[in-house]
Amino acid sequence: EIILLLYTRVSSAKTPTVIVKKILDALNIQPGQIVYDLGCGDGRFVLAAAKRGARATGFEISPVSYVRALIKKFTTH
């Protein structure tokens, strides 16, 4: 986390899974919709939207968070 903070000068804040679900429900994310997440962190919104069938893309400038998102992408079923 220190490297992330020094690199971006912004600390990482992970949104709990239950809140991610509530937000995606409130947005009524449907299959085929396009979702962009700026500052996607570990990719939890992007992956959750993709599981609903959305075409989801995340953008992240922190190399540490980017690697975490890639690991999660390839290890989450």
Side-chain angles (χ1 to χ4, degrees):
E1 293 283 14
I2 294 171
I3 294 171
L4 175 64
L5 180 62
L6 291 175
Y7 181 78
T8 64
R9 297 187 180 189
V10 176
S11 61
S12 177
K14 295 180 174 110
T15 306
T17 305
V18 65
I19 302 299
V20 171
K21 183 184 179 320
K22 286 182 181 184
I23 291 171
L24 293 177
D25 287 345
L27 292 171
N28 195 27
I29 300 299
Q30 300 293 319
Q33 287 183 312
I34 297 172
V35 174
Y36 293 108
D37 185 4
L38 303 178
C40 68
D42 66 358
R44 60 185 64 205
F45 276 98
V46 175
L47 295 170
K51 282 184 181 178
R52 293 175 180 230
R55 292 177 34 207
T57 302
F59 298 89
E60 182 57 57
I61 64 169
S62 167
V64 174
S65 294
Y66 176 76
V67 169
R68 285 183 183 155
L70 284 179
I71 290 169
K72 192 178 251 189
K73 175 182 175 181
F74 291 110
T75 60
T76 305
H77 297 91

